[in-house]
Amino acid sequence: MAGPILGKGLVTGMKVTLVTMFQTLFNPKKHLATVNYPKVKEQPVPRARGVIALDQEACTVCMLCARNCPDWCIYIDSHKEELPPATEGGRPRSRNVLDRFAIDFSLCMYCSICIEVCPFDALHWSPEFEYAELDIRDLVHERDRLREWMW
């Protein structure tokens, strides 16, 4: 019985590399797997996870997203606002008003729990993927920036 051939895996790997290299040399458009990114921007697939966007009108400040976030990267501040009673003689109503909604994307795991748990669909995945920053402190995005990605 013959034993294992030494270097068989190396030869097989080099064969795959050479075949792919010659295919792309002679037909460059056929097996192009990457794009020249700064010049050519590829469209992400429709269900791609880019960045979390906020619809402020739909947010009721229920805090479910912040409470269920495993990284505690969602910061919400609010205050209560008194509303007049719905009918005469009724007691005054109150509602929460959103003061601050921020997500720290340096901590975010992109697990989508906050989006799934939101009962009013105030959080969405936006296809925007170009939100890199030079300073890690700039990755805390406030509600105005999160709202821009809704459109």
Side-chain angles (χ1 to χ4, degrees), residues 81-99:
E81 184 178 84
E82 291 275 332
L83 296 175
T87 60
E88 189 168 327
R91 64 184 176 102
R93 298 177 296 157
S94 66
R95 70 175 181 136
N96 287 332
V97 178
L98 185 65
D99 291 331

Side-chain angles (χ1 to χ4, degrees), residues 2 10 16 29 39 41 47 60 63 67 75 86-87 91 94 96-97 116 120 122-123 133-137 146-148:
L10 178 67
V16 170
K29 299 288 183 189
K39 296 176 185 167
K41 294 188 180 177
R47 293 181 52 116
T60 60
M63 307 265 188
R67 280 187 266 150
Y75 310 110
T87 60
R91 64 184 176 102
S94 66
N96 287 332
V97 178
E116 292 171 8
F120 301 102
L123 297 174
E133 300 288 344
L134 295 175
D135 189 7
I136 195 168
R137 292 173 290 211
L146 294 173
R147 184 181 180 154
E148 290 174 8

Side-chain angles (χ1 to χ4, degrees), residues 48-56 58-59 101 103 105 110 112 114-116 118 120-128 146-147 149-151:
R49 291 184 179 184
V51 67
I52 298 171
L54 171 69
D55 184 8
Q56 290 183 30
C59 183
F101 192 102
I103 299 177
F105 285 106
Y110 302 91
S112 187
C114 59
I115 295 171
E116 292 171 8
C118 182
F120 301 102
D121 293 332
L123 297 174
H124 300 279
W125 282 115
S126 170
E128 179 67 37
L146 294 173
R147 184 181 180 154
W149 289 317
M150 280 302 294
W151 322 126

Side-chain angles (χ1 to χ4, degrees), residues 16-75:
V16 170
T17 303
L18 289 172
V19 167
T20 305
M21 183 181 74
F22 284 118
Q23 283 179 349
T24 54
L25 282 176
F26 295 120
N27 192 358
K29 299 288 183 189
K30 183 178 180 184
H31 292 285
L32 196 58
T34 60
V35 294
N36 192 2
Y37 171 65
K39 296 176 185 167
V40 179
K41 294 188 180 177
E42 190 174 24
Q43 282 292 339
V45 294
R47 293 181 52 116
R49 291 184 179 184
V51 67
I52 298 171
L54 171 69
D55 184 8
Q56 290 183 30
E57 287 78 27
C59 183
T60 60
V61 197
C62 64
M63 307 265 188
L64 283 174
C65 54
R67 280 187 266 150
N68 287 303
C69 180
D71 285 336
W72 295 90
C73 64
I74 300 175
Y75 310 110

